[in-house]
Every structure is written in structure tokens, then in C-alpha cells.
Amino acid sequence: MSHASMPGVSSSQIGRETTRATRPNAALPAKDPAVCPTDDEAQVPRKPATNKRSFDYVWRSGVAGGLAGCAAKTVVAPLDRVKILFQSHNPQFIKYTGSWLGVSEAMKAIYRQDGPTGLFRGHSATLLRIFPYAAIKFLAYEQIRALVIPSKDYETPFRRLISGSMAGVTSVFFTYPLEVMRVRLAFETKKGSRSSLRSICKQMYNEQMKPRAVVGVAGETLPAPPPRHGLTNFYRGFSPTLLGMLPYAGMSFLTHDTAGDILRHPKLAKYTTLPQPENAPAGKAAPLRSWAELSAGGIAGLVSQTASYPLEVIRRRMQVGGAVGDGHRMRIGETAGIIMRERGLRGFYVGLTIGYAKVVPMVAASFYTYERLKTWFGI
């Protein structure tokens, strides 16, 4: 039976049906054009959301963090050597403190005395320490953040701060002895008396730390406890390190994540972000352009260094306690009092300028390398 012979069917209806039959997609609603090629789900299949507790994510984030830390520390190794000499009040370098010209002169003095390798004194111990330190720090942050901030609804500055602080404390607990050895290696300046990493370990282990005499309730002097040595010598300055790590790591991660959110704002995204790579997991924020990522990391370094620097100065003085002075173990309050008597409040900010020059590029390089390696690893 022909369409013309069907009762109740007009010729115009027949024409519309014929058109739809020849063009099956004509009746479907038109899709909005993709902002960038990777926005079209039909073109680029998305990976499922990442399980941060999986072994695959753990090792990839750990390796990315470790390599990021090594790259960042290598960039600023010469400045780090000079900063340690300034902070620890090395007698041969006191005259150089207080100006950028002094920093330059100190680096020239090290170069004349030891050559280019002198600027990297203690760097081998730095790399031995920084790889596990940075790996644990970034890995711990990802894991703690996943627990503290299980979804976007829980994302607050305070939770970001807590996640970063706990990650920093976790990493420093496991790697602090290597940090003390690095400082002792960097503190040495006498030519012809260079110590190896093994000899430094042996020397520190056998150092007898003289305890203070104990005064009884009635004012009598009690016998002092026996001198402490051994593994406890590798944790000199650990208390101020923990106190300093809370604001340093916390503010570092908080500032970086907050700056990243601002740079990814819809009004700025077309200038600051890159298209999502094909291997990006679902729900991951778009990667920042190089200049934007480096800027976010640099701001994070500036803020975190300012918040934690006084405790860092106290820590350095405590760490070299066995290399200078009478050899007794100094406490936080005692060390702070010595610094205050020597230079007043300014003493807690000795080397801050060089600290900025070191930390800003270091943190920028660290976050940049970490984020790029995460993208490369597909996490």
C-alpha cells in the first residue's frame, strides 16, 4: 500500500518522515563545540578516576616526588652551602653576612679555596637524603590529603594546611639523620681536613654530649647523668625541626594548591592552562603552563620560608653543636637565647635574603618537576 492511499496522512507529513529517514541525525540535538580537542569524550577516552591507595599510584608518586626533590636541590646547591655557613655562624664567614655582596664574596672565597666542587660540599649527602625525603613528603601528602579531603565538599584551607604539615613531619622523621650529616659536611671549611661521609658518621656517633648539672630542690648540685652519645647524636635539633616543619610544609602545600586554583579560574584558564593529556585520569585538574606552575611554586616557597625561618636558624645552630662550643647539648630555649644575645631579633633572620634566593627557585622547581612527572606517569 502506498503512502498516498493511507487515510489521515497528509503529503507534508510524508515529506518530513522521508527527510528524517534519509538524514538519521537530523532529529538529534546539536552538541556544543569542544573548548579544546581533549574536551570531546568521543575523541579521547578518559582513564577512570585514580585509586590513590593502589600500589601503582604509590610508587609512581613516590618516584616523581624523589626526582623532583633531587632536581630542586641540585639547582640551589651552591646557595645552600653559603646559607648553612651563615646560619651556623661559621667563624671564617661571619664577615660576609648581611648583604648580597657578602653572599657573592663568600662564594668566591669557597671557589678560591676548594674550586667548583667546594660549592657542592655535602651535596652527595643531600641527594641521599632528599630523594627519600621528597618521595615520602609528596607521597604522604597525597595519601593524607585523600583521607582528610575525601571529596571536593571537604576542601578547605585548614584541611590543606593539616595535610601538608603532617606530610612534612612524616618525611623529616625518617630522613633527619642524613640531614644532620649533610650540615656537618657543609660546615667544614678548613682545607686539608676534609671528612668523608663514613668518618662523619663515626665521629658523630662517638661524640660525648655533656649534659648540664642538675640542681636539687634544696639548691644542692646533684650528680649529672652520664654523657649521651650514639644514635641520639643524629637527632640534634630535631625538636625545632618538627616545629619548623609544621608551618613550612603546611604553608608550602596550602599556598601552592591555592595559587593553582586561582590560576585555573575560568577567566584565566585559557592563558594559564594546557589541554588535558590523553592519559589524564578522570577528575584531574588541567595542567598549568610552565610559567604558571613555576609562579605557583615560587609563591609557595616565599610564604613557607618566611613562616618557618626563625626555627630553621635555631635548628642549624643546634645541629653543629658538636662542631663548635663546649660540646654540651643545647636546647631550643638556650639556643634562642644565645642568638638573641649575639645579634638580637635580627639574628633569627640571618641569611633570610639568601634563603629567599634559594627557597623560591627550589620550591618552584620541585613542584614543577613533580607535576610534570605526575602527568608523564599518568597519575
Side-chain angles (χ1 to χ4, degrees):
M1 180 181 295
S2 67
H3 287 293
S5 63
M6 292 177 63
V9 179
S10 65
S11 59
S12 61
Q13 289 175 321
I14 294 173
R16 286 195 298 270
E17 291 175 1
T18 304
T19 302
R20 284 195 293 266
T22 57
R23 292 190 298 158
N25 294 329
L28 299 176
K31 291 179 64 177
D32 293 332
V35 176
C36 66
T38 55
D39 289 340
D40 193 339
E41 297 293 335
Q43 294 178 7
V44 181
R46 279 280 173 262
K47 290 176 61 177
T50 304
N51 178 14
K52 292 190 175 184
R53 297 185 182 181
S54 66
F55 175 75
D56 186 65
Y57 188 91
V58 167
W59 81 259
R60 288 171 187 264
S61 59
V63 170
L67 293 176
C70 290
K73 275 292 188 180
T74 301
V75 169
V76 298
L79 283 173
D80 199 25
R81 173 83 198 279
V82 175
K83 191 187 80 164
I84 289 175
L85 293 172
F86 284 3
Q87 285 182 333
S88 55
H89 217 56
N90 187 285
Q92 297 183 34
F93 286 83
I94 294 175
K95 59 185 177 182
Y96 298 122
T97 60
S99 68
W100 272 109
L101 183 60
V103 173
S104 175
E105 291 300 319
M107 295 180 72
K108 288 179 181 178
I110 295 171
Y111 185 87
R112 286 193 300 267
Q113 181 171 311
D114 301 318
T117 57
L119 296 172
F120 290 86
R121 178 73 177 160
H123 190 56
S124 58
T126 297
L127 295 181
L128 286 175
R129 179 193 71 90
I130 201 62
F131 185 89
Y133 168 80
I136 295 172
K137 183 180 72 172
F138 281 106
L139 171 58
Y141 179 70
E142 298 285 2
Q143 298 300 313
I144 294 171
R145 178 186 167 90
L147 293 175
V148 177
I149 310 175
S151 66
K152 286 289 184 182
D153 297 334
Y154 293 88
E155 190 114 24
T156 64
F158 178 73
R159 289 175 181 267
R160 284 177 170 177
L161 179 69
I162 291 297
S163 300
S165 298
M166 295 305 297
V169 169
T170 302
S171 61
V172 80
F173 176 79
F174 288 104
T175 60
Y176 189 77
L178 286 170
E179 163 70 1
V180 177
M181 289 186 284
R182 179 185 74 91
V183 172
R184 288 292 293 270
L185 284 168
F187 183 76
E188 292 186 351
T189 56
K190 293 182 180 180
K191 193 171 184 179
S193 61
R194 294 290 179 252
S195 301
S196 64
L197 189 60
R198 181 179 179 182
S199 63
I200 281 287
C201 291
K202 185 177 180 180
Q203 176 186 342
M204 290 180 60
Y205 185 86
N206 293 318
E207 283 175 354
Q208 299 285 333
M209 303 303 294
K210 302 175 183 178
R212 290 293 194 183
V214 181
V215 179
V217 178
E220 74 280 11
T221 302
L222 302 177
R228 289 182 290 181
H229 66 284
L231 293 178
T232 58
N233 289 341
F234 293 90
Y235 280 87
R236 291 176 189 150
F238 187 62
S239 298
T241 299
L242 286 182
L243 293 177
M245 184 54 66
L246 291 173
Y248 180 81
M251 292 302 297
S252 180
F253 281 107
L254 168 62
T255 306
H256 174 265
D257 289 356
T258 303
D261 290 345
I262 294 172
L263 291 170
R264 290 185 178 92
H265 190 275
K267 292 184 179 180
L268 301 175
K270 63 180 179 179
Y271 306 108
T272 60
T273 61
L274 297 169
Q276 281 282 24
E278 295 184 7
N279 63 342
K284 183 179 179 180
L288 294 173
R289 296 182 183 273
S290 295
W291 71 265
E293 186 62 66
L294 289 170
S295 298
I299 295 170
L302 185 71
V303 173
S304 59
Q305 179 74 351
T306 304
S308 63
Y309 197 78
L311 284 167
E312 184 179 350
V313 174
I314 294 174
R315 172 169 62 96
R316 297 296 191 201
R317 292 292 292 272
M318 293 178 71
Q319 285 175 338
V320 300
V324 295
D326 60 3
H328 78 276
R329 189 185 297 275
M330 295 190 298
R331 299 182 182 277
I332 296 177
E334 182 184 0
T335 306
I338 292 174
I339 296 172
M340 190 71 180
R341 286 193 299 271
E342 288 176 350
R343 305 193 65 169
L345 288 176
R346 290 183 59 189
F348 293 98
Y349 293 92
V350 170
L352 180 58
T353 306
I354 189 175
Y356 284 145
K358 171 206 161 188
V359 169
V360 171
M362 182 185 72
V363 177
S366 179
F367 276 115
Y368 174 83
T369 306
Y370 179 64
E371 293 297 334
R372 287 299 185 264
L373 286 175
K374 281 179 64 180
T375 300
W376 190 64
F377 283 148
I379 58 174

